[in-house]
Amino acid sequence: MKPINDRVVVKPAPADEKTKGGIIIPDTAKEKPQRGEVVAVGPGKDGNDMNVSKGDVVLYGKYAGQEISWEGTDYLIMREDDILVILEG
């Protein structure tokens, strides 16, 4: 997959299966993850360089991106502006 312009492809982190206290969360109550790993980055738009790179772990808005499935794996395609923060370390 090769995104165009200022688009970024993100592989969402899996949803939590249990709470910290050990309670198992059913599928119907799981929240959509807002964290993921960047797997592909477009070249940028209007001559602006992209701030994210392949391999970055990022946080994004709850309703950000378009969900797709590619070769059996779920991804999100979003604009770079939908990414809120790059997590370091």
Side-chain angles (χ1 to χ4, degrees):
M1 248 186 300
K2 183 177 179 183
I4 61 172
N5 295 327
D6 62 341
R7 300 290 201 284
V8 177
V9 179
V10 176
K11 182 178 179 186
D16 291 334
E17 299 288 328
K18 292 183 182 180
T19 65
K20 290 181 182 179
I23 298 171
I24 297 174
I25 303 171
D27 288 340
T28 55
K30 288 181 186 173
E31 285 206 27
K32 184 174 155 183
Q34 296 174 27
R35 175 183 180 150
E37 180 181 349
V38 175
V39 295
V41 178
K45 189 173 181 181
D46 300 328
N48 296 324
D49 291 334
M50 299 290 276
N51 293 313
V52 296
S53 303
K54 183 177 178 180
D56 285 347
V57 176
V58 296
L59 295 180
Y60 47 86
K62 189 170 190 170
Y63 302 105
Q66 175 68 40
E67 296 177 353
I68 65 160
S69 183
W70 177 260
E71 296 181 352
T73 304
D74 294 330
Y75 297 98
L76 286 171
I77 298 176
M78 64 183 71
R79 293 186 182 275
E80 184 184 36
D81 288 345
D82 291 335
I83 295 174
L84 305 174
V85 67
I86 300 170
L87 299 175
E88 296 184 4

